[in-house]
Amino acid sequence: MTILDILRFPDKRLRTKATDITDVNDDLRIFIASMFETMYAAPGIGLAASQVNFHKRLMVIDVSENNDEPLCFINPIITHKEGVEVTQEGCLSVPGFYEDIERAETITVKALDKNGEPFELSTGDLLAVCIQHEIDHLDGKLFVDYLSPLKRNRIRKKLERIEKDGPVQTSQTGPTL
Ligand code: QAP
Ligand code: CO
């Protein structure tokens, strides 16, 4: 199988609006398996196809402790939202940053599974947050878009620096204390 490259904020490709999947076939199922492999390896609890530069409406989630409850959503639609809840969110495309984000507390989502069969799921807690976060990706939206421009720009500049200089900056210029 294949570990896919994950795009990082502020990569413009993350802003692409994904289009509906019209055919759920074996090629797609191979890609879905690679998305799960990429998410589990990261490790993460959710990955949208947009994050691996595939701009179709597909996302994978597993919020279980033991990585044994894989969920695949194709062409997901939220049909009901209720309540408001704040959760600390992160994102594989915004590594190292975590912020409190307001979302609906419980949702109902309709989607196709990996066999192209329609299903409906009503849920709350982390799964509901994760579904909303991943659907945002399919619409070209990131959790940092909910932050103030000041916070978002700070995160952007830090990630741009890491992209340019590499992830570690351990050299000391002054005296070691
Ligand atoms: C979305 O995010 C999510 O910064 C999934 O260094 C997250 O799997 C929804 C990750 C939290 C709701 C709550 C992030 C891994 C994983 C990082 C993820 C990192 C390594 C994020
Ligand atoms: Co994300």
Side-chain angles (χ1 to χ4, degrees):
M1 290 214 290
T2 313
I3 304 274
L4 304 162
D5 278 338
I6 299 174
L7 301 178
R8 292 180 173 201
F9 176 68
D11 194 309
K12 281 205 162 67
R13 293 171 289 182
L14 288 167
R15 300 312 189 172
T16 312
K17 185 163 166 62
T19 55
D20 276 334
I21 287 174
T22 52
D23 185 22
V24 181
N25 57 30
D26 284 344
D27 283 346
L28 188 73
R29 280 183 280 274
I30 289 167
F31 187 73
I32 290 167
S34 298
M35 282 184 63
F36 275 114
E37 195 184 15
T38 303
M39 179 184 77
Y40 287 133
I45 58 168
L47 183 70
S50 316
Q51 293 177 272
V52 291
N53 203 29
F54 182 68
H55 301 288
K56 298 284 180 194
R57 302 190 78 83
L58 163 65
M59 61 202 213
V60 298
I61 292 178
D62 191 335
V63 297
S64 72
E65 293 278 321
N66 300 316
N67 287 349
D68 57 358
E69 290 171 34
L71 295 172
C72 172
F73 299 81
I74 295 168
N75 302 339
I77 305 255
I78 293 176
T79 57
H80 188 77
K81 294 189 188 195
E82 212 169 297
V84 175
E85 180 182 43
V86 173
T87 309
Q88 190 166 72
E89 294 188 20
C91 180
L92 290 170
S93 295
V94 192
F97 295 89
Y98 305 87
E99 297 286 346
D100 283 346
I101 305 293
E102 215 178 83
R103 305 272 187 190
E105 189 176 16
T106 59
I107 62 167
T108 302
V109 61
K110 284 186 179 179
L112 304 179
D113 67 16
K114 66 177 174 16
N115 299 312
E117 297 294 333
F119 69 98
E120 189 175 64
L121 175 70
S122 293
T123 188
D125 302 309
L126 186 58
L127 180 55
V129 174
C130 200
I131 291 168
Q132 293 172 80
H133 175 115
E134 302 310 332
I135 291 177
D136 269 357
H137 276 300
L138 304 181
D139 291 324
K141 189 155 187 178
L142 303 174
F143 84 90
V144 296
D145 298 347
Y146 296 102
L147 306 175
S148 70
L150 181 68
K151 270 194 177 180
R152 183 167 52 254
N153 284 327
R154 280 184 183 149
I155 294 170
R156 178 174 56 75
K157 283 173 185 157
K158 286 180 187 170
L159 285 173
E160 281 171 345
R161 174 63 64 90
I162 289 165
E163 178 70 22
K164 186 168 159 277
D165 294 355
V168 274
Q169 201 70 319
T170 48
S171 73
Q172 297 281 343
T173 51
T176 307
L177 299 175

mmCIF file of all heavy atoms in Angstrom, residues 152-170:
data_model
loop_
_atom_site.group_PDB
_atom_site.id
_atom_site.type_symbol
_atom_site.label_atom_id
_atom_site.label_comp_id
_atom_site.label_asym_id
_atom_site.label_seq_id
_atom_site.Cartn_x
_atom_site.Cartn_y
_atom_site.Cartn_z
ATOM 1 N N ARG A 152 -4.183 33.331 12.769
ATOM 2 C CA ARG A 152 -3.996 32.547 11.540
ATOM 3 C C ARG A 152 -2.669 32.912 10.861
ATOM 4 O O ARG A 152 -1.932 32.054 10.414
ATOM 5 C CB ARG A 152 -5.179 32.780 10.586
ATOM 6 C CG ARG A 152 -5.105 31.948 9.308
ATOM 7 C CD ARG A 152 -6.424 31.959 8.554
ATOM 8 N NE ARG A 152 -6.951 33.278 8.295
ATOM 9 C CZ ARG A 152 -7.975 33.833 8.925
ATOM 10 N NH1 ARG A 152 -8.623 33.173 9.870
ATOM 11 N NH2 ARG A 152 -8.376 35.066 8.631
ATOM 12 N N ASN A 153 -2.364 34.216 10.821
ATOM 13 C CA ASN A 153 -1.117 34.659 10.186
ATOM 14 C C ASN A 153 0.104 34.210 10.974
ATOM 15 O O ASN A 153 1.134 33.883 10.378
ATOM 16 C CB ASN A 153 -1.120 36.178 10.003
ATOM 17 C CG ASN A 153 -2.009 36.588 8.839
ATOM 18 O OD1 ASN A 153 -2.128 35.852 7.850
ATOM 19 N ND2 ASN A 153 -2.659 37.736 8.957
ATOM 20 N N ARG A 154 -0.003 34.185 12.297
ATOM 21 C CA ARG A 154 1.113 33.674 13.117
ATOM 22 C C ARG A 154 1.391 32.218 12.781
ATOM 23 O O ARG A 154 2.537 31.811 12.622
ATOM 24 C CB ARG A 154 0.777 33.793 14.611
ATOM 25 C CG ARG A 154 0.977 35.174 15.158
ATOM 26 C CD ARG A 154 0.716 35.158 16.659
ATOM 27 N NE ARG A 154 0.839 36.499 17.212
ATOM 28 C CZ ARG A 154 0.142 36.935 18.254
ATOM 29 N NH1 ARG A 154 -0.724 36.139 18.875
ATOM 30 N NH2 ARG A 154 0.318 38.164 18.707
ATOM 31 N N ILE A 155 0.309 31.430 12.680
ATOM 32 C CA ILE A 155 0.459 30.003 12.352
ATOM 33 C C ILE A 155 1.046 29.864 10.950
ATOM 34 O O ILE A 155 1.973 29.083 10.722
ATOM 35 C CB ILE A 155 -0.899 29.269 12.484
ATOM 36 C CG1 ILE A 155 -1.347 29.249 13.956
ATOM 37 C CG2 ILE A 155 -0.815 27.859 11.900
ATOM 38 C CD1 ILE A 155 -2.778 28.763 14.185
ATOM 39 N N ARG A 156 0.525 30.652 10.014
ATOM 40 C CA ARG A 156 1.013 30.592 8.628
ATOM 41 C C ARG A 156 2.515 30.890 8.559
ATOM 42 O O ARG A 156 3.277 30.162 7.929
ATOM 43 C CB ARG A 156 0.236 31.588 7.747
ATOM 44 C CG ARG A 156 0.728 31.618 6.299
ATOM 45 C CD ARG A 156 -0.135 32.510 5.394
ATOM 46 N NE ARG A 156 -0.263 33.889 5.878
ATOM 47 C CZ ARG A 156 0.680 34.817 5.807
ATOM 48 N NH1 ARG A 156 1.853 34.540 5.270
ATOM 49 N NH2 ARG A 156 0.450 36.028 6.285
ATOM 50 N N LYS A 157 2.929 31.952 9.239
ATOM 51 C CA LYS A 157 4.358 32.339 9.201
ATOM 52 C C LYS A 157 5.233 31.259 9.810
ATOM 53 O O LYS A 157 6.310 30.954 9.282
ATOM 54 C CB LYS A 157 4.559 33.685 9.913
ATOM 55 C CG LYS A 157 4.106 34.833 9.025
ATOM 56 C CD LYS A 157 4.115 36.179 9.722
ATOM 57 C CE LYS A 157 3.542 37.261 8.807
ATOM 58 N NZ LYS A 157 3.028 38.405 9.581
ATOM 59 N N LYS A 158 4.793 30.665 10.921
ATOM 60 C CA LYS A 158 5.598 29.600 11.543
ATOM 61 C C LYS A 158 5.718 28.392 10.617
ATOM 62 O O LYS A 158 6.801 27.819 10.487
ATOM 63 C CB LYS A 158 4.981 29.180 12.889
ATOM 64 C CG LYS A 158 5.201 30.210 13.995
ATOM 65 C CD LYS A 158 4.576 29.765 15.299
ATOM 66 C CE LYS A 158 4.663 30.875 16.341
ATOM 67 N NZ LYS A 158 3.864 30.589 17.538
ATOM 68 N N LEU A 159 4.619 28.031 9.949
ATOM 69 C CA LEU A 159 4.669 26.864 9.043
ATOM 70 C C LEU A 159 5.473 27.182 7.786
ATOM 71 O O LEU A 159 6.163 26.312 7.257
ATOM 72 C CB LEU A 159 3.258 26.392 8.701
ATOM 73 C CG LEU A 159 2.547 25.637 9.841
ATOM 74 C CD1 LEU A 159 1.101 25.347 9.478
ATOM 75 C CD2 LEU A 159 3.269 24.338 10.179
ATOM 76 N N GLU A 160 5.401 28.433 7.315
ATOM 77 C CA GLU A 160 6.218 28.826 6.147
ATOM 78 C C GLU A 160 7.695 28.752 6.494
ATOM 79 O O GLU A 160 8.517 28.317 5.680
ATOM 80 C CB GLU A 160 5.844 30.248 5.688
ATOM 81 C CG GLU A 160 4.564 30.274 4.869
ATOM 82 C CD GLU A 160 4.051 31.673 4.573
ATOM 83 O OE1 GLU A 160 4.509 32.659 5.220
ATOM 84 O OE2 GLU A 160 3.171 31.804 3.711
ATOM 85 N N ARG A 161 8.055 29.159 7.705
ATOM 86 C CA ARG A 161 9.451 29.094 8.159
ATOM 87 C C ARG A 161 9.929 27.640 8.243
ATOM 88 O O ARG A 161 11.031 27.304 7.797
ATOM 89 C CB ARG A 161 9.572 29.798 9.522
ATOM 90 C CG ARG A 161 10.940 29.665 10.173
ATOM 91 C CD ARG A 161 12.020 30.329 9.323
ATOM 92 N NE ARG A 161 11.818 31.751 9.208
ATOM 93 C CZ ARG A 161 12.330 32.655 10.049
ATOM 94 N NH1 ARG A 161 13.051 32.267 11.066
ATOM 95 N NH2 ARG A 161 12.109 33.926 9.863
ATOM 96 N N ILE A 162 9.072 26.776 8.797
ATOM 97 C CA ILE A 162 9.421 25.354 8.908
ATOM 98 C C ILE A 162 9.603 24.740 7.513
ATOM 99 O O ILE A 162 10.538 23.992 7.275
ATOM 100 C CB ILE A 162 8.344 24.594 9.725
ATOM 101 C CG1 ILE A 162 8.426 24.991 11.204
ATOM 102 C CG2 ILE A 162 8.488 23.090 9.558
ATOM 103 C CD1 ILE A 162 7.215 24.604 12.036
ATOM 104 N N GLU A 163 8.708 25.129 6.587
ATOM 105 C CA GLU A 163 8.786 24.640 5.196
ATOM 106 C C GLU A 163 10.117 25.037 4.566
ATOM 107 O O GLU A 163 10.740 24.260 3.850
ATOM 108 C CB GLU A 163 7.607 25.226 4.398
ATOM 109 C CG GLU A 163 7.555 24.855 2.935
ATOM 110 C CD GLU A 163 7.200 23.392 2.708
ATOM 111 O OE1 GLU A 163 6.588 22.766 3.613
ATOM 112 O OE2 GLU A 163 7.546 22.878 1.642
ATOM 113 N N LYS A 164 10.575 26.251 4.869
ATOM 114 C CA LYS A 164 11.788 26.830 4.271
ATOM 115 C C LYS A 164 13.061 26.271 4.926
ATOM 116 O O LYS A 164 14.002 25.882 4.249
ATOM 117 C CB LYS A 164 11.717 28.349 4.455
ATOM 118 C CG LYS A 164 12.809 29.153 3.772
ATOM 119 C CD LYS A 164 12.436 30.644 3.796
ATOM 120 C CE LYS A 164 13.647 31.541 3.609
ATOM 121 N NZ LYS A 164 14.390 31.788 4.859
ATOM 122 N N ASP A 165 13.094 26.244 6.273
ATOM 123 C CA ASP A 165 14.329 25.943 7.029
ATOM 124 C C ASP A 165 14.400 24.497 7.510
ATOM 125 O O ASP A 165 15.425 24.100 8.057
ATOM 126 C CB ASP A 165 14.432 26.841 8.265
ATOM 127 C CG ASP A 165 14.603 28.303 7.903
ATOM 128 O OD1 ASP A 165 14.740 28.594 6.703
ATOM 129 O OD2 ASP A 165 14.591 29.136 8.814
ATOM 130 N N GLY A 166 13.308 23.749 7.360
ATOM 131 C CA GLY A 166 13.280 22.404 7.940
ATOM 132 C C GLY A 166 12.680 22.467 9.330
ATOM 133 O O GLY A 166 12.605 23.550 9.924
ATOM 134 N N PRO A 167 12.234 21.329 9.853
ATOM 135 C CA PRO A 167 11.436 21.315 11.068
ATOM 136 C C PRO A 167 12.198 21.612 12.355
ATOM 137 O O PRO A 167 11.595 21.982 13.334
ATOM 138 C CB PRO A 167 10.857 19.905 11.108
ATOM 139 C CG PRO A 167 11.768 19.094 10.243
ATOM 140 C CD PRO A 167 12.368 20.025 9.253
ATOM 141 N N VAL A 168 13.518 21.462 12.394
ATOM 142 C CA VAL A 168 14.221 21.695 13.662
ATOM 143 C C VAL A 168 15.154 22.892 13.591
ATOM 144 O O VAL A 168 15.822 23.121 12.585
ATOM 145 C CB VAL A 168 15.017 20.437 14.122
ATOM 146 C CG1 VAL A 168 14.104 19.519 14.898
ATOM 147 C CG2 VAL A 168 15.676 19.737 12.968
ATOM 148 N N GLN A 169 15.164 23.630 14.653
ATOM 149 C CA GLN A 169 16.036 24.801 14.755
ATOM 150 C C GLN A 169 16.629 24.768 16.157
ATOM 151 O O GLN A 169 16.161 25.407 17.088
ATOM 152 C CB GLN A 169 15.201 26.082 14.537
ATOM 153 C CG GLN A 169 16.013 27.290 14.123
ATOM 154 C CD GLN A 169 16.548 27.146 12.699
ATOM 155 O OE1 GLN A 169 17.000 26.076 12.273
ATOM 156 N NE2 GLN A 169 16.529 28.207 11.942
ATOM 157 N N THR A 170 17.703 23.970 16.339
ATOM 158 C CA THR A 170 18.217 23.740 17.699
ATOM 159 C C THR A 170 19.497 24.525 17.989
ATOM 160 O O THR A 170 19.930 24.578 19.123
ATOM 161 C CB THR A 170 18.502 22.223 17.926
ATOM 162 O OG1 THR A 170 19.246 21.742 16.814
ATOM 163 C CG2 THR A 170 17.219 21.446 18.028
#
